């Protein structure tokens, strides 16, 4: 005789919903947004179907639509013109730069939208690296000074949270101190604490032309500062340091291949955890769906729900708008 039957709690959708352990909502999403120079311009990103680079005016229009769908946070990335790139990244803190003007325009149009600009030098670097290079090496402390200046300029423009994605040692403390000294006590830091040197970033780097350049005198990849994908204990070390330095939110990146890291970090800290459903993950799902191998809508909702089940509080995903439309139905 069987007295304990798990299937009793699966008999219909009402029962399954009643005992469901986690759920997905539009409040969970952060939409990455790519911005380019110009006016009334939109360029499709071929490796990420449905994703575009847009000029500021069309970016503002998109943000209004996102907010109306319930997506209340955006993560901003700039497609920087080549003539503005150098080895210092100084365009990154130009008060009249593309990022700063984008932040102002979105905040004016959608005041309640949470704006999280990316803080890293690779879009501004002639080398495509996240740091300043001297004698063929990525300079940690000099880069931190640049990132702090960049963060303050974002705060001055109206950013709610700055999101350093560079993986330099000590940059959270440098940014926190700079924000405090400048009077931006309420601007948060979302730290990419456990960002791995992953092969899943390819479509993103092509979208911004931010891949490391093929130069014999500089590193060909980002493995000297991003994490080794073989390691998990190291992720906790990185997370604990960023928490001590003043991070408000912790990011794990990539997402789907790193759910074990999300789960470990969730058990270790009480701060909010973000996870990045990166471009390669998005591109794989879209390619499979376009070939008829997956049901696009079901796969999107299932994969995003998995992040919540693993312990994430928020999800950076290129599918945010599409998922919001599905959930609103």
């Amino acid at each position: 005789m069987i007295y304990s039957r798990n299937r009793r709690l699966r008999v219909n959708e009402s029962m399954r919903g009643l005992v469901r352990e986690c759920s997905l909502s539009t409040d969970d999403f952060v939409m990455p947004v790519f911005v380019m120079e110009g006016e009334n311009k939109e360029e499709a990103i071929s490796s990420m179907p449905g994703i575009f680079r847009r000029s500021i005016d069309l970016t503002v229009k998109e943000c209004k639509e996102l907010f109306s769908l319930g997506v209340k946070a955006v993560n901003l990335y700039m497609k920087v013109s080549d003539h503005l790139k150098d080895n210092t990244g100084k365009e990154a803190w130009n008060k009249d730069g593309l990022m700063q003007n984008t932040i102002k325009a979105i905040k004016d149009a959608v005041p309640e939208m949470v704006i999280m600009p990316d803080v890293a030098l690779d879009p501004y670097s002639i080398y495509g690296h996240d740091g300043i290079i001297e004698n063929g090496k990525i300079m940690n402390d000099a880069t931190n000074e640049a990132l702090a200046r960049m963060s303050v300029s974002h705060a001055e423009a109206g950013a709610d949270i700055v999101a350093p994605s560079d993986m330099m040692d000590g940059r959270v403390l440098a940014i926190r101190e700079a924000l405090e000294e400048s009077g931006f006590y309420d601007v948060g830091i979302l730290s990419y604490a456990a960002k791995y040197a992953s092969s899943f970033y390819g479509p993103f780097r092509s979208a911004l032309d931010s891949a490391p350049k093929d130069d014999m005198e500089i590193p060909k990849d980002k493995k000297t500062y991003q994490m080794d994908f073989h390691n998990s204990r190291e992720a906790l070390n990185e997370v604990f340091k960023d928490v001590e330095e003043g991070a408000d939110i912790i990011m794990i990146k990539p997402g789907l291949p790193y759910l074990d890291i999300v789960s470990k970090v969730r058990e270790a800290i009480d701060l909010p955890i973000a996870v990045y459903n990166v471009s390669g993950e998005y591109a794989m799902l879209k390619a499979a769906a376009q070939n008829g191998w997956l049901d696009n809508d079901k796969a999107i909702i299932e994969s995003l729900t998995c992040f919540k089940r693993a312990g994430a509080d928020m999800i950076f995903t290129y599918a945010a708008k599409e998922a919001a439309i599905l959930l609103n139905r």
Side-chain angles (χ1 to χ4, degrees), residues 147-194:
L147 297 173
R149 295 184 68 177
M150 185 179 184
S151 298
V152 170
S153 78
H154 292 175
E156 290 172 342
D160 300 285
I161 296 174
V162 294
S165 63
D166 56 286
M167 288 296 286
M168 297 297 121
D169 292 332
R171 89 279 203 213
V172 171
L173 180 59
I175 292 170
R176 185 74 270 162
E177 289 179 342
L179 290 172
E180 295 287 316
E181 290 170 2
S182 300
F184 294 109
Y185 313 112
D186 294 330
V187 173
I189 299 176
L190 184 150
S191 171
Y192 287 61

Side-chain angles (χ1 to χ4, degrees), residues 200-215:
F200 287 89
Y201 302 148
F204 171 91
R205 289 176 179 169
S206 65
L208 292 183
D209 187 27
S210 62
K213 300 299 182 284
D214 188 10
D215 188 319

Side-chain angles (χ1 to χ4, degrees), residues 17-244:
L18 191 64
V19 299
R20 192 158 286 151
E21 297 175 23
C22 71
S23 60
L24 191 68
S25 83
T26 58
D27 289 333
D28 299 322
F29 301 147
V30 180
M31 180 71 178
V33 173
F34 298 112
V35 185
M36 61 186 294
E37 296 282 3
E39 186 175 349
N40 196 32
K41 291 180 68 175
E42 180 178 88
E43 295 177 355
I45 299 170
S46 60
S47 56
M48 289 191 281
I51 305 301
F52 301 85
R53 288 182 291 265
R54 295 183 174 93
S55 53
I56 293 178
D57 54 331
L58 296 187
T59 297
V60 168
K61 182 179 178 181
E62 178 71 2
C63 286
K64 288 180 178 178
E65 184 174 357
L66 287 167
F67 198 84
S68 72
L69 291 169
V71 179
K72 301 170 184 175
V74 290
N75 177 219
L76 302 181
Y77 297 91
M78 302 296 111
K79 177 66 170 69
V80 180
S81 299
D82 288 343
H83 73 278
L84 296 174
K85 297 181 180 183
D86 64 10
N87 186 36
T88 71
K90 64 180 182 296
E91 179 61 21
W93 54 86
N94 177 1
K95 291 186 177 182
D96 195 34
L98 182 60
M99 175 69 87
Q100 290 73 9
N101 287 334
T102 301
I103 295 170
K104 293 173 187 174
I106 296 172
K107 189 56 74 173
D108 286 344
V110 196
E112 295 301 311
M113 178 70 83
V114 176
I115 301 177
M116 304 182 185
D118 181 61
V119 176
L121 296 185
D122 50 335
Y124 302 89
S125 168
I126 55 174
Y127 298 115
H129 272 287
D130 294 54
I132 296 169
I133 294 179
E134 291 182 15
N135 300 319
K137 294 183 178 181
I138 313 298
M139 304 304 293
N140 192 93
D141 295 4
T143 299
N144 284 347
E145 293 177 13
L147 297 173
R149 295 184 68 177
M150 185 179 184
S151 298
V152 170
S153 78
H154 292 175
E156 290 172 342
D160 300 285
I161 296 174
V162 294
S165 63
D166 56 286
M167 288 296 286
M168 297 297 121
D169 292 332
R171 89 279 203 213
V172 171
L173 180 59
I175 292 170
R176 185 74 270 162
E177 289 179 342
L179 290 172
E180 295 287 316
E181 290 170 2
S182 300
F184 294 109
Y185 313 112
D186 294 330
V187 173
I189 299 176
L190 184 150
S191 171
Y192 287 61
K195 181 179 179 179
Y196 286 81
S198 172
S199 59
F200 287 89
Y201 302 148
F204 171 91
R205 289 176 179 169
S206 65
L208 292 183
D209 187 27
S210 62
K213 300 299 182 284
D214 188 10
D215 188 319
M216 292 295 291
E217 297 181 358
I218 65 170
K220 290 184 172 60
D221 53 44
K222 302 188 178 187
K223 293 181 180 179
T224 65
Y225 46 100
Q226 294 178 358
M227 283 184 57
D228 184 344
F229 65 81
H230 298 85
N231 299 347
S232 64
R233 294 192 304 272
E234 183 186 8
L236 292 177
N237 185 7
E238 292 279 2
V239 166
F240 292 148
K241 287 180 178 178
D242 285 3
V243 171
E244 291 173 2

